Amino acid sequence: MTPESPQLLNPPPDLGINLPPPRHIAIIMDGNGRWAAQRGLPRVTGHENGAQALRAVTETCCALGVQCLTVYAFSTENWKRPAEEVSALFGLLELFLASELPTLLANNIRLRAIGRLHELPPSALSALESTIAHTATNTGMSLVLAINYSGRAELEDAVRSVCKEVAQGTLRPEDFTQEDLQRNLYTRDWPDPDLLIRTSGEMRLSNFLLWQLSYTELYVTPKCWPDFGKEDLVEAIRDFHRRKRRFGGI
Ligand code: FPP
C-alpha cells in the first residue's frame, strides 16, 4: 500500500446527508477473493484493494461523525485458509497500520482491536499494540478491528470470565444478569452497532458480533468489498434512515 499523506477531514465534505449518522457501523468486508478472481488476479490483490476500501470508508465515517466503526478483518475460522494467504493478510495488516497512523492521528481516530489477539503472529501483534498505544488518547471516532475474532469465541471468553467471578465468590449465580455478560464482552466500551453492512451479497452473519447485532439494521449489497466506496456508504446510511427501529416495541 502506498503511504499517502494524512488527510484532515475537518470540515466534513458535503455528502448530501442531513441526518445524524448511525453512532456505530459494523462491516463484514466480504468478496475480496471474488473481486480478484473476476479480474484474473491473485487473491492477495483483492485483499490489497480491500485495504484501500477500508481506508476510504474509515475516512468517510470519520468525516460524517460516526462514533464507532467495527470491521471484520480476520475471523477465528480464517486460519483454515492457505498459509500464504494468512501470512499475506497479516503482512497487509502491518502495512495498513503503518500507512494509516498519520491519518488516524490527524483525524483524532482511536484504534482498538477485538478478538483473541494473543494468538496473532508476534510482529502483527506488536504493530497493532503500538498503533493502539499511539492513538490511545484520541477522542474522536473509534476504529475497531476484529481480528482472530468470532462471536462464539467472544461469548465463550465472556462466560469463562463470569464463571471465574462466581468461583471467586464475587458474583452469586442467582444474581447473574445479561449485564454481567455484557460487561465481560470485548465490546463493552461501545454501544451495539446501529447498522451492519455486508458486501458481496451473502445473507449471513458469519459468526460476527452475535450478541451485539440483536437489534441492528442489516444492509447487504452485492458489491464486492474492494468496490465499496464513499457513495455506497452514503447510500447504506440513507437506507438506514428509512428504517423504523422498534426494538421489539410498537
Ligand atoms: C473477506 O473476503 C475478507 C477477509 C477474510 C479479510 C478482510 C481483509 C481486508 C479487507 C484487508 C484489509 C484489512 C486490514 C485490516 C488491513 P474473502 O477473502 O472471504 O472473499 P471471497 O469470499 O470472495 O473469497
Side-chain angles (χ1 to χ4, degrees):
M1 190 180 314
T2 347
E4 287 166 23
S5 54
Q7 291 185 358
L8 259 179
L9 301 164
N10 203 5
D14 180 10
L15 294 171
I17 299 182
N18 300 317
L19 295 161
R23 266 179 321 173
H24 184 172
I25 298 180
I27 307 184
I28 300 177
M29 309 182 289
D30 194 17
N32 294 347
R34 271 161 286 172
W35 183 92
Q38 284 157 11
R39 291 161 178 78
L41 297 168
R43 288 179 61 82
V44 68
T45 308
H47 295 312
E48 283 163 4
N49 282 269
Q52 291 295 354
L54 175 57
R55 165 190 274 261
V57 165
T58 300
E59 292 176 3
T60 308
C61 282
C62 176
L64 290 173
V66 171
Q67 289 172 24
C68 185
L69 170 65
T70 302
V71 295
Y72 208 2
F74 191 88
S75 80
T76 51
E77 286 77 31
N78 286 154
W79 296 105
K80 293 180 206 155
R81 296 185 176 208
E84 312 82 69
E85 182 170 342
V86 170
S87 163
L89 277 168
F90 284 111
L92 199 53
L93 171 66
E94 287 187 46
L95 276 176
F96 177 83
L97 294 171
S99 66
E100 276 304 278
L101 181 61
T103 300
L104 298 178
L105 292 173
N107 292 287
N108 198 22
I109 299 172
R110 183 172 180 187
L111 185 81
R112 309 292 290 272
I114 55 172
R116 291 182 170 165
L117 305 177
H118 58 281
E119 293 172 357
L120 298 191
S123 68
L125 179 58
S126 150
L128 188 62
E129 286 177 340
S130 161
T131 313
I132 289 172
H134 273 95
T135 62
T137 55
N138 286 353
T139 54
M141 186 179 86
S142 288
L143 170 62
V144 185
L145 302 180
I147 308 178
N148 196 24
Y149 173 89
S150 76
R152 288 185 179 182
E154 178 181 28
L155 289 169
E156 189 176 276
D157 290 347
V159 171
R160 186 180 301 107
S161 300
V162 169
C163 288
K164 281 184 189 160
E165 292 176 26
V166 170
Q168 287 159 0
T170 53
L171 179 67
R172 296 190 312 171
E174 56 272 33
D175 293 335
F176 171 78
T177 66
Q178 292 181 25
E179 281 65 42
D180 295 305
L181 191 70
Q182 176 88 31
R183 66 181 167 73
N184 279 292
L185 293 173
Y186 307 147
T187 55
R188 56 186 165 267
D189 293 341
W190 308 291
D192 289 343
D194 301 295
L195 171 64
L196 171 76
I197 297 172
R198 180 169 188 145
T199 55
S200 93
E202 307 290 354
M203 304 293 263
R204 55 176 173 260
L205 295 181
S206 299
N207 216 345
F208 189 43
L209 299 173
L210 296 179
W211 177 275
Q212 298 86 345
L213 294 177
S214 298
Y215 285 102
T216 301
E217 298 298 324
L218 310 182
Y219 180 86
V220 178
T221 166
K223 278 201 178 179
C224 289
W225 175 247
D227 284 334
F228 190 87
K230 288 183 184 182
E231 302 71 28
D232 302 296
L233 180 70
V234 168
E235 181 46 39
I237 294 175
R238 284 212 184 93
D239 186 83
F240 170 80
H241 281 300
R242 292 193 285 268
R243 308 286 179 93
K244 297 235 180 318
R245 303 186 78 193
R246 291 188 291 273
F247 299 95
I250 53 171

